[in-house]
Amino acid sequence: MALSNNVIGAINFVAMLLSIPIIGAGIWLANEPDNSCVKLLQWPVIILGILILVVALAGFVGGFWRIPWLLIFYLVAMLILIILLACLVVFIYMVTMRGSGHLEPSRSYLEYHLDDFSGFLRRRVRSPLKWDRIRNCLSSTDMCAELSQRYRMAQDFFNAHITPLQSGCCKPPTLCGYTFVNPTYWISPINNAADMDCLNWSNEQTQLCYGCDSCKAGLLANLKKEWRRADIILLITLVALICVYLTGCCAFRNAKTEDLFRKYKQGYV
C-alpha cells in the first residue's frame, strides 16, 4: 500500500509539473500586445492551469500522506479538468480554422478580410463599444511607429514581411491606390470607392486605419496565429495529462486491491 501511495504521489508531482506549460501559455498570451488588448483567451488558460496545479497538489499530498478522500477528490476533479482542457483545445481549433491572408500585386505582405474569419472571432470586434476599447489599446503601442523607423523607401516596404496587425492597422488597403510617402503616411488615392476602409484611412498618426475592417481582420489574424501556437502546447499537455491520469487510476486501484488483500489476510489470521 505504501509503495502504491508513493507512486500516486510521484504521478501527481508530474501532473503538477504539467500545469506549468498551461499557465505559461496563458502568461505568454497575456504579454502579446494584441491579446492583452482583446483580453479573451489568456485568463481561462491561466485559471485552468492553476486549477490543475491545485488538484495535482491535492493528489500529491493524498498519495504521500495516505489520505483516501484527497485521492478520490483528485481523481474526480482531475477528470473534470481534463475534459475542460480537451473542450478548450477543440474550441480553439474550431474558431481558428478560418481566416487567411490574401496576396496583393507587387506586395510581399498579406492583407486580410474580416469576413474570412469565424463568426465567434468576428463578434469579438464587431461591437463599437468593444472595438473602441481595443483600438485605443492598439493605438497606444509602437507597432506602426516601428514601420516608419525601419522602412524609408517604398520598395523596401512593399517587399517587407510585416505582421497581420501592422498590415491591417498601419496602412490603407492596397486596392485604394494610395501613393506611398512612408509606411504610415499615404496620399492621392486612385479608387476611394473600392472599400469603406479607403475612406476610413487617416494620416493622423493616432488614427491611421484603426477604425478599418482591415485592422479588425489583421487583429484576428494575429490572434489566430498566436492561439494556434498556444493550442499546440495545450494539446501536448492534454495528452501527457491523460497518460498521467490513467497511470494514477491504475496505481490507485492497485493500492485499494493491496489494502483489501491485507485486511483479508489479517482477518483470516
Side-chain angles (χ1 to χ4, degrees):
M1 179 68 173
L3 178 60
S4 295
N5 280 331
N6 289 340
V7 170
I8 294 172
I11 289 169
N12 284 294
F13 179 74
V14 175
M16 289 167 58
L17 294 179
L18 288 174
S19 69
I20 295 174
I22 299 176
I23 297 171
I27 293 173
W28 172 71
L29 287 173
N31 288 327
E32 291 298 304
D34 47 350
N35 274 283
S36 64
C37 290
V38 177
K39 298 178 181 176
L40 185 60
L41 184 65
Q42 56 266 46
W43 284 114
V45 173
I46 291 172
I47 291 170
L48 188 57
I50 292 173
L51 289 175
I52 290 173
L53 175 62
V54 171
V55 170
L57 179 61
F60 177 78
V61 172
F64 271 111
W65 278 271
R66 306 178 190 178
I67 307 174
W69 69 266
L70 261 183
L71 290 175
I72 294 172
F73 166 77
Y74 158 77
L75 291 173
V76 174
M78 187 59 77
L79 178 61
I80 294 172
L81 291 175
I82 286 174
I83 292 172
L84 288 176
L85 181 58
C87 291
L88 182 61
V89 168
V90 173
F91 169 77
I92 294 173
Y93 176 76
M94 294 300 294
V95 300
T96 57
M97 283 180 65
R98 296 178 54 191
S100 57
H102 300 269
L103 283 170
E104 295 292 337
S106 305
R107 303 290 190 271
S108 293
Y109 50 76
L110 301 175
E111 296 191 352
Y112 300 85
H113 302 154
L114 189 57
D115 291 336
D116 290 342
F117 294 89
S118 67
F120 173 83
L121 290 179
R122 290 201 307 271
R123 286 191 293 273
R124 305 284 76 77
V125 297
R126 286 280 193 198
S127 166
L129 185 62
K130 289 181 181 177
W131 183 249
D132 283 344
R133 177 181 60 80
I134 294 171
R135 68 180 288 179
N136 289 337
C137 178
L138 292 176
S139 62
S140 67
T141 67
D142 58 356
M143 63 174 181
C144 294
E146 287 178 357
L147 296 179
S148 296
Q149 295 170 3
R150 187 176 301 174
Y151 304 106
R152 301 293 184 183
M153 305 299 293
Q155 199 56 47
D156 291 338
F157 180 69
F158 296 155
N159 291 334
H161 295 279
I162 60 179
T163 68
L165 201 54
Q166 290 173 323
S167 174
C169 303
C170 302
K171 62 169 195 59
T174 300
L175 54 81
C176 302
Y178 277 87
T179 300
F180 177 95
V181 176
N182 68 48
T184 59
Y185 198 93
W186 302 69
I187 60 173
S188 307
I190 296 173
N191 189 13
N192 243 348
D195 194 292
M196 278 299 297
D197 286 351
C198 301
L199 299 174
N200 288 331
W201 167 258
S202 170
N203 283 318
E204 175 61 44
Q205 295 301 292
T206 58
Q207 299 296 322
L208 300 178
C209 219
Y210 290 117
C212 302
D213 280 352
S214 64
C215 186
K216 298 176 182 179
L219 172 65
L220 297 185
N222 253 40
L223 290 180
K224 173 187 172 181
K225 180 174 67 174
E226 291 164 4
W227 285 17
R228 278 292 180 90
R229 290 176 181 172
D231 203 33
I232 293 172
I233 296 172
L234 296 180
L235 177 60
I236 294 171
T237 307
L238 173 63
V239 173
L241 268 177
I242 291 173
C243 295
V244 167
Y245 180 78
L246 292 176
T247 306
C249 287
C250 292
F252 182 74
R253 185 182 63 183
N254 290 339
K256 295 298 289 182
T257 301
E258 289 174 12
D259 192 38
L260 288 172
F261 184 68
R262 180 178 55 81
K263 289 179 179 178
Y264 171 77
K265 285 181 65 179
Q266 288 175 348
Y268 181 76
V269 172

